[in-house]
Amino acid sequence: MNRRYFLLPSRVRDIIDEHHITHATVARRLGVSRAYWSQLVNGKRALSPTTRRLILDCEIFAGVAESELWERIVIAEREAS
C-alpha cells in the first residue's frame, strides 16, 4: 500500500482568509512556486514530506492540527504506478 497526503482545500482556504493574505503570499512564505501551491490546493498534486514539514513550520498554519490540513489516502500498489 502506498500513502499519499492531500490538502483539505476548504480548511486551508479558511485559514488563509482568516489571515487576510493571498495564495501567492502563502506560496512565497513556504518557499514554493505559486503554480505548485495552486496544484496542491486544487488536489492535483500530493504533498511531499518536505512540503508537509514546510506547512507545519509556517506561522500561517501554527497551531493547526495535521488532521485539519490534509488527509491521507491509501492507494493500492497497482494504482500508484
Side-chain angles (χ1 to χ4, degrees):
M1 294 290 181
N2 192 3
R3 292 175 294 184
R4 294 197 181 156
Y5 296 83
F6 291 89
L7 281 179
L8 295 170
S10 165
R11 180 64 179 128
V12 169
R13 286 185 182 109
D14 287 347
I15 293 167
I16 291 168
D17 288 346
E18 289 169 12
H19 283 84
H20 307 288
I21 57 176
T22 65
H23 285 277
T25 299
V26 175
R28 190 170 44 257
R29 289 189 186 173
L30 291 175
V32 301
S33 72
R34 174 66 176 95
Y36 179 63
W37 178 248
S38 177
Q39 290 172 344
L40 293 172
V41 172
N42 291 307
K44 306 282 186 202
R45 301 260 321 240
L47 293 160
S48 70
T50 300
T51 304
R52 291 195 317 264
R53 174 57 43 207
L54 288 171
I55 291 169
L56 290 176
D57 290 345
C58 183
E59 72 279 358
I60 298 163
F61 302 104
V64 181
E66 291 179 40
S67 61
E68 290 185 55
L69 295 171
W70 53 72
E71 63 182 333
R72 183 177 75 176
I73 306 292
V74 177
I75 301 171
E77 291 299 320
R78 254 192 245 165
E79 293 178 36
S81 310

